[in-house]
């Protein structure tokens, strides 16, 4: 889907939403399909947290507040997080490892039994089994930056789940309720079932029509190397549904129409004050192509001229891939899945 001042709003669909296995023909993709948007969920979670900060309803909840300040119980249980600020968490500036990077941890557990569900604390436990995150090659070799922080970001979904824990603790609401109240309702995206953040203990079943991902050759190798037992062409729907464990770090779903609408808001920027939006767009280098802000990244200028000025997020979920981008200078937005 594309929205720009010249052509307006346009959509294209192609391919199948379900696999043609030789016996049952595949179902053609449509604008109504509900697909996983993966890590684009992070932009929703970050926007909710920024809106809660702006509301003034939760004194002390600011970008400079630490985990210790906001949830001392969590900080006591996980001292590795105690001194990090909410800005550092949402801007990927901590050394706590990403639970998704450990093939012997949570990923292998999901491959073994995708119906399992975990709490945020249990997922943090998985993350802390790994080594501390290190700056990427680009930061070290090109920027000569040896530590993760204000000069170098390191991507970690664990950070976003800690922010989810903070938001739920302060408000007494689930992140699902917060996303609906602070984003979906104000943007008139609350049509039941079209776009939502499932509860972490839910089945993960999306509303119909629900595309069914299947194992491609590369997917087949990845799953089986982590302990799976699937063949090329097999459905991986149960694995895809397991992303409900990732909360606002990667479990949301929606249609391509929803995703384009979200991209057109600047991934939530339109809901925020100018001051907060400016703080959100303070980007820190992450790799040779992207710099990370708060719940969104922008492409590094000069990497490819057609990417200059574009920011947003991608989503690489289990069986799905998606993209939501915005270019303010061109007043253009793009969504793909």
């Amino acid at each position: 889907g594309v929205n720009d001042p010249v052509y307006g709003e346009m959509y294209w669909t192609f391919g199948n939403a379900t696999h043609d296995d030789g016996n049952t023909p595949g179902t053609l993709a449509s604008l109504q399909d509900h697909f996983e948007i993966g890590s684009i969920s992070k932009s929703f979670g970050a926007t909710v947290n920024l809106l809660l900060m702006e509301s003034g309803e939760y004194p002390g909840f600011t970008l400079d507040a630490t985990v210790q300040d906001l949830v001392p119980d969590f900080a006591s249980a996980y001292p590795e997080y105690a001194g990090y600020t909410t800005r550092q968490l949402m801007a990927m500036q901590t050394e706590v490892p990403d639970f998704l990077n450990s093939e012997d941890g949570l990923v292998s557990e999901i491959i073994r039994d995708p119906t399992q569900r975990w709490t945020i604390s249990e997922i943090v436990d998985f993350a802390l089994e790994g080594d501390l995150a290190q700056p990427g090659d680009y930061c070290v070799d090109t920027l000569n930056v040896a530590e993760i922080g204000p000069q170098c970001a390191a991507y970690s979904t664990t950070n976003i789940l800690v922010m989810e824990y903070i938001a739920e603790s302060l408000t007494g609401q689930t992140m699902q309720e917060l996303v609906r109240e602070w984003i979906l309702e104000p943007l008139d995206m609350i049509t039941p079932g079209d776009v939502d953040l499932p509860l972490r203990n839910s089945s993960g079943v999306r509303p119909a029509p629900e595309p069914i991902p299947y194992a491609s050759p590369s997917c087949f190798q990845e799953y089986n190397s982590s302990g799976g037992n699937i063949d090329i062409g097999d459905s991986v729907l149960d694995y895809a549904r397991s992303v409900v464990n990732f909360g606002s770090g990667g479990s949301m779903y929606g249609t391509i129409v929803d995703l384009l609408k979200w991209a057109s808001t600047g991934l939530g920027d339109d809901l925020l004050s100018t001051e907060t939006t400016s703080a959100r767009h303070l980007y820190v280098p992450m790799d040779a192509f992207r710099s990370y802000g708060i719940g969104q990244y922008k492409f590094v200028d000069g990497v490819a001229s057609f990417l200059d000025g574009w920011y947003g997020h991608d989503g690489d979920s289990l069986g799905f891939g998606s993209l939501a981008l915005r270019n303010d200078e061109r007043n253009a937005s793009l969504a793909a899945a």
Side-chain angles (χ1 to χ4, degrees), residues 111-127:
I111 297 299
R112 185 177 63 82
D113 180 7
T115 65
Q116 295 182 90
R117 300 292 182 261
W118 293 275
T119 65
I120 289 177
S121 294
E122 289 171 334
I123 291 177
V124 172
D125 287 336
F126 276 111

Side-chain angles (χ1 to χ4, degrees), residues 48-63 65-74 86 162-175 178 182:
V48 164
N49 281 297
L50 294 172
L51 287 167
L52 291 174
M53 292 176 189
E54 285 191 346
S55 74
E57 296 177 23
Y58 307 95
F61 192 25
T62 69
L63 286 173
T66 66
V67 174
Q68 177 66 47
D69 296 333
L70 299 169
V71 283
D73 60 326
F74 188 92
T86 63
V162 175
M163 285 302 306
E164 183 168 323
Y165 182 94
I166 291 172
E168 292 185 339
S169 297
L170 293 178
T171 65
Q173 295 177 271
T174 65
M175 184 56 79
L178 293 170
W182 291 90

